[in-house]
Amino acid sequence: MILIKNQKISFNNEYFKKIKKFLLDKKVKFELIDSYPFENANIEKIQQAKVIIVFGGDGTILNTFKHVKNLRETLIVPINFGKLGYITSIPKEASFAVIEKVIELEDNLKNDNLKIDERHLIEVQNKKKKHLVLNELIVTGLKQGKPIRFEVSINGKNLIQFKGDGIIVATPTGSTAYNLSAGGPILAPNIEAFILTPISPHSLNLKPIVMSKFDEIKVIFENEHENQKAIIVDGEKSDEKVDSLVCRISRKKLSFIKPYLENHFETLKHKLFWSKNNY
C-alpha cells in the first residue's frame, strides 16, 4: 500500500499520526510519498502498488495517475485534502472509515460497503507518441490573443474547420474541469463517451460535441511555424511538436475505491452549489 499526499500537508499532523498508527497496529505494510516531482524510486513503488491512497486535490491524483503502470490491478482511494476536488471526492471527515474498510477490501466489496468506480480514459496518438488521458487534452496557442486554425474529422470524414483560442478533448471525469468553464456539458462518469469543446471559437454556431466509444476524431492544426501551440495533457505541458492528433476512447480504465453509497450527482450538487436557492 502506498500513501501519497500533497506536499503542502505534513505527515506529522494528528490525522496522519492516527492513520499510520492504525496501519501499523493492523500490520499493514505501507510506504509514504510526499514529494513532487516523484523521484525514480517512488515511481517504481507507484508502479508496483496494488492500492494507492491519495490525500490531496485532483492535481495530486493526476500526478499519480501518469505513473500507474498496471491499470487493471491498481486501485486508488481518492481523499480530498484540496479545495474543490471532483476526482478526490471522499471528504477528509469520512476518510478514516474508508481506510479501515480498505484493509479488508474483498469482504467490504462483497458486503457493499465499498465499490469500484471505473473511469474511462482517452487515448491520444500522434505520429511518435501516445498519451492516456484521465481528465483532458488541451491544445492552445502560445501567443495570447492569436487564434489557431483547426480542422476536425470524425471517423475519417471532415466535420468542421474553424479558428479559435484552442480546443479541449475531455473525458467524462474531466467534463467538470476546464470543459465546464468553457461551456461544455457535464457527463456522468460511467458514460463511455468523450467531448470535443472549442475554446472561444470565431463562430456563433460552433458548440461542444459529445462522441461515443465508437468514434475517433482527428484534429489537424495549421502549420507549426505560422503559430506555435501548446499541448497540455492532464495539466502537464508536453514539448512534442505535432501537426495532428487522433483521439479515441481507450480500452484501459482507471479504478477508484469509493464508499458504496457515494453518489456522483450529490457530489456535484454540493460542489457546484446546486442546492442553494438564489432567488
Side-chain angles (χ1 to χ4, degrees):
M1 179 182 290
I2 303 289
L3 275 59
I4 298 175
K5 70 168 186 61
N6 187 306
Q7 54 194 4
K8 295 178 182 178
I9 313 162
S10 171
F11 266 133
N12 292 318
N13 67 29
E14 291 303 315
Y15 173 87
F16 286 110
K17 286 179 180 178
K18 181 180 177 182
I19 296 291
K20 288 185 282 186
K21 183 179 184 306
F22 170 75
L23 295 176
L24 290 170
D25 289 345
K26 291 290 184 178
K27 295 181 171 52
V28 176
K29 294 181 179 180
F30 63 94
E31 298 275 356
L32 306 175
I33 298 177
D34 66 347
S35 59
Y36 298 125
F38 294 124
E39 299 172 355
N40 289 336
N42 288 334
I43 291 173
E44 290 179 11
K45 292 174 184 176
I46 293 170
Q47 291 175 340
Q48 295 170 8
K50 297 294 180 67
V51 175
I52 302 173
I53 303 177
V54 177
F55 306 87
D58 290 355
T60 312
I61 290 283
L62 295 173
N63 274 316
T64 302
F65 159 70
K66 66 186 179 185
H67 297 299
V68 174
K69 189 174 183 179
N70 193 338
L71 290 169
R72 286 189 175 183
E73 296 186 6
T74 303
L75 299 171
I76 295 179
V77 184
I79 297 174
N80 188 7
F81 268 68
K83 294 181 180 179
L84 192 56
Y86 292 104
I87 308 175
T88 47
S89 58
I90 301 173
K92 177 182 174 182
E93 298 75 28
S95 61
F96 190 78
V98 173
I99 293 171
E100 284 183 306
K101 293 182 176 68
V102 169
I103 303 306
E104 304 292 339
L105 181 60
E106 293 299 325
D107 288 343
N108 281 302
L109 288 172
K110 288 178 183 177
N111 296 331
D112 292 341
N113 294 318
L114 295 173
K115 64 182 177 181
I116 294 179
D117 178 12
E118 291 187 327
R119 297 300 178 97
H120 296 290
L121 308 171
I122 297 173
E123 182 180 293
V124 178
Q125 177 80 57
N126 66 33
K127 293 179 181 178
K128 298 180 180 180
K129 197 170 183 179
K130 183 186 291 185
H131 299 280
L132 274 182
V133 179
L134 173 59
N135 235 23
E136 65 204 0
L137 165 82
I138 301 167
V139 183
T140 186
L142 290 177
K143 295 182 180 179
Q144 189 173 10
K146 188 173 182 180
I148 303 175
R149 187 183 299 278
F150 296 91
E151 179 181 320
V152 179
S153 298
I154 296 184
N155 303 326
K157 294 185 178 181
N158 180 271
L159 179 68
I160 48 174
Q161 292 178 326
F162 72 99
K163 270 191 171 184
D165 288 352
I167 60 163
I168 304 164
V169 182
T171 67
T173 298
S175 68
T176 51
Y178 192 6
N179 167 74
L180 179 62
S181 300
I186 296 174
L187 300 186
N190 58 344
I191 291 178
E192 203 165 356
F194 62 112
I195 311 163
L196 173 68
T197 300
I199 305 171
S200 302
H202 288 199
S203 170
L204 296 176
N205 299 322
L206 191 54
K207 301 296 181 184
I209 305 169
V210 178
M211 283 152 294
S212 79
K213 66 179 180 179
F214 303 108
D215 293 324
E216 177 182 278
I217 66 170
K218 183 175 183 179
V219 183
I220 300 173
F221 316 112
E222 67 178 8
N223 188 284
E224 182 93 29
H225 301 291
E226 292 178 14
N227 184 26
Q228 290 184 315
K229 55 193 171 294
I231 311 293
I232 303 167
V233 180
D234 281 341
E236 183 173 307
K237 186 177 175 183
S238 172
D239 58 1
E240 62 194 289
K241 305 294 183 182
V242 297
D243 54 16
S244 66
L245 291 169
V246 175
C247 307
R248 64 181 73 86
I249 289 287
S250 174
R251 294 182 180 180
K252 298 178 180 179
K253 300 175 185 178
L254 181 65
S255 297
F256 293 105
I257 301 175
K258 300 285 189 73
Y260 185 79
L261 295 178
E262 181 186 281
N263 183 291
H264 174 69
F265 295 102
E266 283 294 323
T267 301
L268 288 180
K269 178 180 176 181
H270 170 70
K271 293 183 182 291
L272 294 176
F273 301 102
W274 286 346
S275 60
K276 304 296 183 183
N277 189 342
N278 295 321
Y279 298 99

